[in-house]
């Protein structure tokens, strides 16, 4: 029996609280449609989106090329399982290999699944070379919410879900000496985000990533880059690694890859891929024709529309405008990031700022407590970026008073 609810934000919010597992502390907003960098709720109010579904809708909401590809694929074929070859999967695999410089692709449904698969590949490679299965991750990292991925991350996300899987070790981010001290024959892999997202938009130092690559080469340890949030053009390059000219052994993707459709990927070089045998890993839905059609359309649109160059320009411009409009605010600590992955750090909690911006029709996000995270669609216009900065400045002023 269908339950008919009044189409208001409040009514849908109450229904959501009644039926859905209470794991999201949602804002009382229900969106009905989106276009580009704009969203409309069920009551018809328009919003400027500087969150993009948490760095997912990199080409904006309902990009026409992605919509067309998904519609056409849905009419043709939606699922066949991985017992058979899928044309969209082959085409997206080839495209990802071409733009990444890595050799092999495995598709999953999400970022956490991609990281889980990356850990399995790394451990299998280590096993074949007589090493242990330990994983070194970074403090303030975020790699997902499965048991293995929370074992790599913050302790507060582990509370109540123990015992944690063994073999995970955390060290400070951007501290190469701490990594060297943690390395032993028991370590299979080092995993990190070149730009930490949930941790507060913390950017890796170039010398740090180069030193990690040298360390992993010397010790035969697998280097894993988690580019789930910072990949797929978000930083102005296809992948954040390209800013550093450092190639990992394994790279994980998701979020922006399908521009809204769930699709994740594990990319790996031939060296570590060679450790995998038939039956070592699998998925039912991963890499299905629908998801791969969306991914292929997304990458093609990024190339055809010059999104990398435009994102770089917009990112520089946004940081300059933020410096100009709020640079003298007494609570501002730092503006940082790459491309359109920007963190604005204050000396106070930023959730009230996010709520105040929402009153003015702008969506953003507070992360790491005191960081305002700005990850708008990469197709956002300069006029929309200017409105974003104006609303941040206005909201700060209203909070100060």
């Amino acid at each position: 029996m269908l339950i008919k609810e009044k189409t208001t934000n409040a009514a849908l919010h109450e229904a959501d609280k009644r039926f859905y597992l209470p794991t999201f502390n949602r804002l009382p907003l229900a969106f009905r449609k989106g276009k580009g960098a704009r969203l409309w709720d069920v009551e018809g109010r328009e919003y400027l989106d500087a969150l993009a579904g948490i760095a997912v809708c990199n080409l904006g909401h309902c990009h026409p090329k992605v919509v067309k590809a998904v519609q056409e694929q849905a009419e043709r074929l939606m699922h066949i399982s991985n017992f058979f070859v899928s044309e969209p999967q082959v085409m997206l695999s080839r495209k990802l290999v071409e733009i990444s410089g890595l050799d092999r692709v495995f598709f999953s449904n999400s970022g956490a699944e991609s990281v889980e698969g990356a850990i399995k590949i790394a451990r299998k490679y280590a096993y074949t070379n007589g090493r242990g299965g330990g994983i070194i991750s970074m403090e303030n990292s975020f790699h997902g919410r499965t048991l293995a991925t929370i074992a790599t991350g913050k302790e507060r996300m582990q509370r109540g879900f123990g015992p944690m899987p063994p073999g995970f070790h955390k060290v400070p981010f951007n501290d190469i000496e701490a990594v060297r001290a943690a390395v032993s024959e028991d370590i299979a892999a080092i995993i990190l985000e070149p730009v930490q997202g949930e941790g507060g938009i913390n950017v890796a130092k170039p010398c740090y990533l180069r030193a990690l690559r040298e360390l992993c080469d010397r010790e035969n340890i697998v280097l894993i880059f988690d580019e789930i949030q910072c990949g797929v053009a978000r930083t102005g390059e296809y992948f954040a690694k390209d800013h550093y000219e450092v190639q990992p052994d394994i790279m994980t993707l998701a979020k922006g890859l399908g521009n809204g459709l769930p699709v994740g990927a594990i990319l790996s070089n031939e060296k570590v891929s060679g450790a995998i045998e038939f039956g070592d890993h699998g998925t039912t839905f991963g890499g299905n024709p629908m998801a791969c059609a969306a991914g292929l359309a997304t990458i093609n649109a990024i190339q055809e529309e010059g999104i990398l160059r435009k994102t770089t320009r917009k990112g520089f411009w946004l940081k300059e405008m933020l410096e100009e409009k709020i640079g003298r605010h007494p609570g501002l600590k730092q503006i940082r990031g790459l491309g359109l992955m920007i963190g604005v750090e204050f000396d106070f909690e930023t959730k009230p700022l996010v709520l105040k911006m929402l009153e003015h029709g702008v969506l953003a996000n507070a992360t790491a407590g005191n960081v305002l995270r700005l990850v708008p669609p990469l197709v956002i216009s300069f006029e929309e970026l200017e409105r974003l900065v104006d609303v941040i400045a206005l909201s700060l002023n209203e909070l100060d008073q």
Side-chain angles (χ1 to χ4, degrees), residues 36-304:
R38 305 296 178 105
L39 284 165
W40 288 264
D41 68 18
V42 294
E43 296 172 17
R45 187 183 181 195
E46 180 182 308
Y47 299 81
L48 177 62
D49 186 4
L51 184 59
I54 319 178
V56 169
C57 300
N58 287 1
L59 291 176
H61 298 281
C62 301
H63 189 284
K65 293 177 182 175
V66 179
V67 170
K68 183 173 184 288
V70 170
Q71 288 174 334
E72 291 177 351
Q73 187 61 51
E75 290 179 344
R76 201 160 43 237
L77 182 66
M78 294 176 69
H79 182 76
I80 52 173
S81 92
N82 281 298
F83 286 152
F84 310 99
V85 178
S86 162
E87 183 180 8
Q89 188 182 103
V90 170
M91 293 172 68
L92 181 56
S93 297
R94 179 189 294 127
K95 180 72 73 173
L96 289 173
V97 165
E98 288 172 355
I99 65 174
S100 71
L102 292 164
D103 302 306
R104 299 282 180 173
V105 180
F106 180 92
F107 290 110
S108 65
N109 303 287
S110 67
E113 282 184 61
S114 296
V115 173
E116 289 264 2
I119 291 170
K120 284 183 68 176
I121 295 169
R123 283 182 164 173
K124 185 65 184 295
Y125 176 78
Y127 172 80
T128 61
N129 286 276
R131 298 188 67 90
I135 307 294
I136 296 174
S137 62
M138 306 302 146
E139 293 176 1
N140 297 316
S141 67
F142 180 82
H143 299 292
R145 292 183 182 271
T146 60
L147 280 175
T149 53
I150 64 173
T152 67
K154 299 174 183 177
E155 290 183 7
R156 66 177 177 82
M157 292 187 178
Q158 302 172 6
R159 200 170 301 128
F161 300 108
M164 285 294 105
F168 292 89
H169 317 273
K170 287 188 287 292
V171 299
F173 186 61
N174 270 330
D175 186 343
I176 189 61
E177 293 305 323
V179 180
R180 288 177 177 142
V183 165
S184 70
E185 286 295 317
D186 290 328
I187 298 302
I190 298 168
I191 183 170
L192 74 154
E193 306 150 88
V195 183
Q196 290 186 328
E198 298 295 323
I201 316 298
N202 304 310
V203 182
K205 298 174 182 176
C207 59
Y208 174 64
L209 292 192
R210 286 195 292 269
L212 282 177
R213 180 68 273 172
E214 293 169 4
L215 175 65
C216 289
D217 287 340
R218 185 169 63 250
E219 300 291 337
N220 200 20
I221 291 171
V222 176
L223 180 60
I224 305 171
F225 283 176
D226 178 342
E227 296 233 16
I228 290 162
Q229 189 166 150
C230 60
V232 195
R234 171 55 54 186
T235 65
E237 297 282 357
Y238 284 121
F239 310 106
K241 72 180 182 66
D242 299 333
H243 290 279
Y244 302 91
E245 297 183 354
V246 174
Q247 188 76 312
D249 298 299
I250 302 175
M251 180 169 66
T252 59
L253 303 175
K255 287 191 181 288
L257 184 55
N259 205 60
L261 259 70
V263 54
I266 309 163
L267 282 65
S268 52
N269 62 24
E270 198 62 50
K271 181 181 77 170
V272 299
S273 301
I276 296 298
E277 301 173 303
F278 292 128
D280 276 349
H281 199 47
T283 174
T284 296
F285 293 109
N288 68 74
M290 285 280 288
C292 288
L296 187 63
T298 298
I299 299 298
N300 285 339
I302 288 169
Q303 294 176 324
E304 292 162 3

